[in-house]
Amino acid sequence: MSDAPRDFHKPVRRSPDSFDRNYAADDPAEVSRVAHATASALLARVREAPHDDVVDRLVQFTDAHGIATIAELWSHSPARSLPGALWRLYLLQLMIHDDAATAAVLYERGRTRLASADPVIAGAPAPAGPDELVALIDEILRGVFAGDFALALERAASFSRVVAAGSTDLADDYDATEPGRASQFTTRALRLDTYAGDLATAAGLWRREALV
């Protein structure tokens, strides 16, 4: 056995919080835990004392800060969970605020062709222009933080169904002449229809105190 001294490598010094950062960034379980914890804490705190200025800031959050911060917290959460529902509500708000004119066209097309109570449940005036739809989605989001949360989710679900119907109808118009544009509206319709189902299910879970 050799008595030669071993050539030990010096340890690499790293910031003491590097493990925490990497763990939180890469571990799906930790990402999920943070998403659920932040959604629950935010909702509970604001709904316990829904001050107007706090609610206003939350409703206007994406206008002031964009969607990236919310996406980092909630975008990978299960669709039918509390953070997943909040993420979808903010996406609907972003869709309208970014292009209220198109949203109004789609909503009106859907409203006139959808044989259901969804336009009534959504609560937009008839007809609804861009300004009315911006006010509607902000009112729905306000209900999340200072009102009947399940009702807010149901209104958002109905709104999604109406716009999905309008997107399908408009896709049919473009199908023969602009198939690429038709495909875009068909994709939007499918996504919104999925959101409608997710939000309606989330509303039922909330009423049973099972939305987490």
Side-chain angles (χ1 to χ4, degrees), residues 34-52:
V34 171
H36 286 77
T38 54
S40 298
L42 174 66
L43 205 63
R45 179 169 297 185
V46 178
R47 289 178 64 82
E48 184 178 338
H51 300 296
D52 287 344

Side-chain angles (χ1 to χ4, degrees), residues 68-135:
T69 301
I70 294 174
E72 187 175 348
L73 289 173
W74 298 333
S75 63
H76 298 295
S77 300
R80 299 178 179 191
S81 67
L82 179 57
L86 292 174
W87 168 241
R88 280 152 183 74
L89 288 168
Y90 273 112
L91 283 180
L92 289 176
Q93 186 197 44
L94 185 68
M95 180 191 75
I96 297 171
H97 281 216
D98 273 3
D99 190 355
T102 298
V105 170
L106 297 177
Y107 187 88
E108 279 303 294
R109 293 286 289 260
R111 182 185 68 82
T112 58
R113 286 159 177 77
L114 197 61
S116 74
D118 285 309
V120 176
I121 295 170
D131 291 341
E132 287 80 11
L133 284 193
V134 169

Side-chain angles (χ1 to χ4, degrees), residues 2 8 29 32 41 44 53 62 64 68 74 84 100-101 103 112 115 124 140 144 157 161 168 170 172 185 207:
S2 174
F8 289 106
S32 177
D53 58 338
T62 57
W74 298 333
T112 58
I140 289 173
V144 167
R161 287 192 198 95
T168 298
L170 198 58
D172 290 342
F185 282 114
R207 294 191 191 280

